[in-house]
Amino acid sequence: MLVTSVGKLRLEKPGMVASGIMDETGPSMVRMLKCGAGAVVTKSIGSEPNPGHPNPTFTELKCGYINAMGLPNPGIELFGAEMEIAAKSGNIIGSIYGASPEEFSRLAGKMEEYGAAAVELNLSCPHAAGYGMELGTDPAVVGSIVSAVKSSVSIPVWAKLTPNTHILKDLAIAVRDAGGDAVVAINTVKAMAISPQLGKPILSNKFGGLSGPAIRSIGVRAVFEIRAATDIPIVGVGGISDWKDAAQYIMAGACAFQVGSAIGTKGIDVFSAINTELERFMKDYGYGSISKMIGVAHE
Amino acid sequence: MSDTVRIVSIIDDSHDTKTFEFQWEEKTSPGQFIMVWVPGMEEIPMSLSKTARIKSITVKKIGKDTQKLHDLGLGAPIRIRGPYGKGFDLKKGKKMLIIGGGVGTAAVIPVVKETGADTIIGARTDKDLIMEEVAGKYAKNLWIATDDGSKGFHGNAVQLMREKVTESRYDLVLACGPEIMQYHLYKACVELGVDCQLSLERHMKCGAGVCGCCMMDDMRVCRDGPVFTKEQISKMKDFGVSTRDECGRRVKLG
């Protein structure tokens, strides 16, 4: 009942672990697959090892989390050892970040070699200079990266987009026109927190990305807008912590969804809870499959 | 979850270690930790060395971040978040032996206070010993081990633990200290057939079980730990062998 597909990629369960959460090591990804996630998206991996920003890189807020990890990762060469452990246990989506179409293509080629079921291009991280949303807010740049990666790998190519723009649907159209297989929306919302008592920004990077319940309605709106503008498959992400949140994204037009912050707030059992309750809802309300529910809010 | 507290007292524990007390209403249990930050340092995880209404952290000066904390005076504000993690599971009716090694002693002091159980404190020399007085006040028996024999038993805490466990039956060992000590302690517990719970440490970023930077095998030290049971530890290939640096690269211990 919960089976879905993102383009050509079939998923037994519609929920995935969002990039950046419990996905830097092979054993942690295996654990999340066992917890009922249909796939795990890896930490965003670059060409070289990167320590990320110094701590503080994270804090809880009233309505979610704010983080500026700064894309810490062991680099694509060493990440092969983690993929070797994880890829044989289920669908691993390789998240990658680069500064040029060539760099993205090389990283994507490695992920394909490591057994990734798809690659997710990080065109949306709000806290890494020269990467992420700095490239991902220009449709021409997005198109050239997607098209370069498409021509160098045969696994599906997904583009993760930022909500920190007024031209989100143009970005999604650019992904589709370049042959991209799906868009993932949304990444975190660029934000800031200041300690009044200390009179300073809390994150070492000053700015970070806001996630959790605070951004769910932004994400649902973004997915709805993209769906209205183009027919490219959409993976919805942003503030999902229960079946109602997941159903909103699906009804806005997503064929699958990702969960990040709720793995912290609800625990790793969040996937099995969403799976059970979403299935119960679908039975109660006469949705025979996920595909029957996709985009119904548009009708 | 996060708060800014002011230092209400500072205790000199040794030539390089200080305890900073603050008032914090949050309910915490022995073995839990908080993330600690003031501007000019990197935020770091610290075990709570007092867990009542007045709480404290005990800081050994080992680098620039801990130096920054040592520079703080009375009334200085500190940003803390937490409490995080799973602490010690204090089982009623079990005969317990508590072991603290080096500055790790600070993390087991709340357990000593709560249980009054027999306690071993280990340190390099008598100058490095901390919290002997408070442990002596609450523990039924307190034994000291120093590597150079300058006080108490001449040898490390694990060697002393082997003697004590052979002399008298214990059901459960509770410990915090350097990983090399805990690795040998775990082996001793397996050999001697004693259950144990050990408080472990890895490089942390979020502290809240989200980012996956502090993994030991498939366990998050910040959320599934930092206190792990003997059974959990028996499944860890990383314990005593390798850690992860801030990039997530595997690094051999030792």
Side-chain angles (χ1 to χ4, degrees), chain A residues 102-167:
Chain A
E102 297 70 33
E103 192 177 10
F104 270 103
S105 298
R106 198 183 75 79
L107 292 164
K110 280 284 186 185
M111 282 294 187
E112 180 170 36
E113 194 184 299
Y114 295 156
V119 285
E120 183 180 282
L121 312 180
N122 183 340
L123 298 168
S124 42
C125 173
H127 47 75
Y131 296 105
M133 70 173 258
E134 294 193 11
L135 306 171
T137 42
D138 180 339
V141 173
V142 166
S144 69
I145 292 169
V146 171
S147 136
V149 175
K150 273 305 285 180
S151 62
S152 57
V153 295
S154 54
I155 51 175
V157 176
W158 303 355
K160 187 167 180 181
L161 302 179
T162 177
N164 303 300
T165 172
H166 63 285
I167 53 164

Side-chain angles (χ1 to χ4, degrees), chain B residues 129-194:
Chain B
L129 271 173
I130 59 166
M131 303 186 164
E132 188 187 346
E133 200 177 310
V134 60
K137 190 171 147 196
Y138 289 94
K140 190 163 168 233
N141 295 291
L142 172 68
W143 300 292
I144 303 295
T146 53
D147 295 350
D148 68 348
S150 50
K151 184 152 196 183
F153 175 80
H154 187 172
N156 64 46
V158 182
Q159 290 168 319
L160 181 55
M161 167 267 184
R162 282 179 178 274
E163 278 193 10
K164 297 299 172 192
V165 170
T166 316
E167 282 168 18
S168 163
R169 175 73 211 171
Y170 288 96
D171 303 312
L172 179 61
V173 166
L174 307 165
C176 184
E179 188 148 327
I180 181 77
M181 174 195 106
Q182 302 210 76
Y183 182 71
H184 291 290
L185 181 60
Y186 169 75
K187 295 214 140 172
C189 288
V190 171
E191 248 176 68
L192 299 164
V194 188

Side-chain angles (χ1 to χ4, degrees), chain A residues 20-22 24-25 27-28 31 43 49-51 54-60 65 69 72-74 78 82 195 197-198 200-202 263-264 267-268, chain B residues 1-2 4 35 37-39 41-43 77-79 81 84 204-206 208-213 215 217-220 223-224 244 246-249:
Chain A
I21 318 292
M22 292 277 290
E24 194 170 71
T25 71
S28 59
R31 184 175 175 193
K43 210 97 171 164
N50 176 14
N55 284 347
T57 48
F58 171 96
T59 195
E60 293 92 349
Y65 298 146
M69 290 287 163
N73 79 96
L78 289 173
E82 313 301 336
S195 162
Q197 295 94 332
L198 298 169
K200 295 260 189 289
I202 290 167
I263 293 170
I268 57 173
Chain B
M1 280 306 264
S2 67
T4 303
M35 297 296 287
W37 178 67
V38 296
M41 68 175 280
E42 288 196 27
E43 187 186 43
I78 312 179
R79 186 171 198 269
R81 54 189 182 89
Y84 293 122
M204 279 181 197
K205 292 186 178 180
C206 79
V210 181
C211 73
C213 292
M215 304 302 296
D217 296 82
D218 66 352
M219 303 300 268
R220 298 163 293 181
R223 177 80 168 253
D224 303 306
R244 301 262 181 181
E246 53 203 344
C247 305
R249 289 177 292 197

